[in-house]
Structure formats: C-alpha cells, structure tokens
Amino acid sequence: TSEYDAAAHRSRIMGAHVSNYLQQLIEEDNDAYKRQFAAYLKEGIMPDMLEGVYAKAHAAIRAYPSPAVKKEKPADYKPKSFKKQRKSLAQRKGRVAQKKTANQAQQNLNR
C-alpha cells in the first residue's frame, strides 16, 4: 500500500487533474475541448482558473451544507413510464386472430 500524500489528495480535490486534461485538450484537439467543455467556455472558465472555482464551490458548501429544497411537483404531474402496458385478453386474442387471417391470406396467395 502507498502512503497518504496530502498534497496529491488536495490537488485531486481541487481539480488539478481536470485542469491538466483541459490544457492537454486545448493543445491537442481544440474541437474536442470546445465540445466537451462548452459549459466552461460559456462561463469563461479557463484551466488556470479551475482551482479557484473548486475552492469557491467548497466554501459555498461549507457555508450552507444542507441540500437545496426541492420544488413541489404540480398536481397533474405524471412521471414518464417506459414500461410496456399489459394488453388485455381481448386485445391479445384480437392480435392472434389478425395474425391468423394474415397468414391464411398469404397461404391462399401462394397456392
């Protein structure tokens, strides 16, 4: 096991690795940088400013550590459902009947 390195831990927490990656992308592939970090560009955040941004975020969390209050959902709110609705017996039998007639029609054409 390796020993604890406070400086390395602090640099990781303060986003030095992200800053290095930003700098690398700027030098090697500016299009990828613009695509991946468009929000940073919009806010005007450059790689050398990242430690200050992280420090400010940590200070804000320490000042008010409670999570943000969630908004009330409207009375008519219905969450998205990706689950297929189960078909009734009548619907299933109707589908089977449709397939049977289509299959019989295909067989009559092939004769």
Side-chain angles (χ1 to χ4, degrees), residues 26-94:
I26 289 171
E27 292 169 3
E28 293 176 6
D29 190 0
N30 206 13
D31 291 335
Y33 167 71
K34 289 176 183 174
R35 183 177 63 250
Q36 290 175 338
F37 294 97
Y40 282 24
L41 285 171
K42 186 177 178 183
E43 294 293 322
I45 299 172
M46 297 306 291
D48 55 337
M49 299 165 63
L50 212 54
E51 186 172 343
V53 171
Y54 276 60
K56 188 176 175 183
H58 287 281
I61 291 169
R62 284 189 198 97
Y64 188 71
S66 299
V69 178
K70 294 186 178 181
K71 296 178 188 173
E72 287 290 322
K73 294 185 172 117
D76 60 342
Y77 173 76
K78 185 178 177 191
K80 288 184 182 179
S81 177
F82 298 99
K83 186 177 173 183
K84 277 188 172 180
Q85 279 289 40
R86 188 172 173 171
K87 292 184 166 94
S88 67
L89 179 64
Q91 289 172 324
R92 292 194 310 262
K93 286 188 175 186

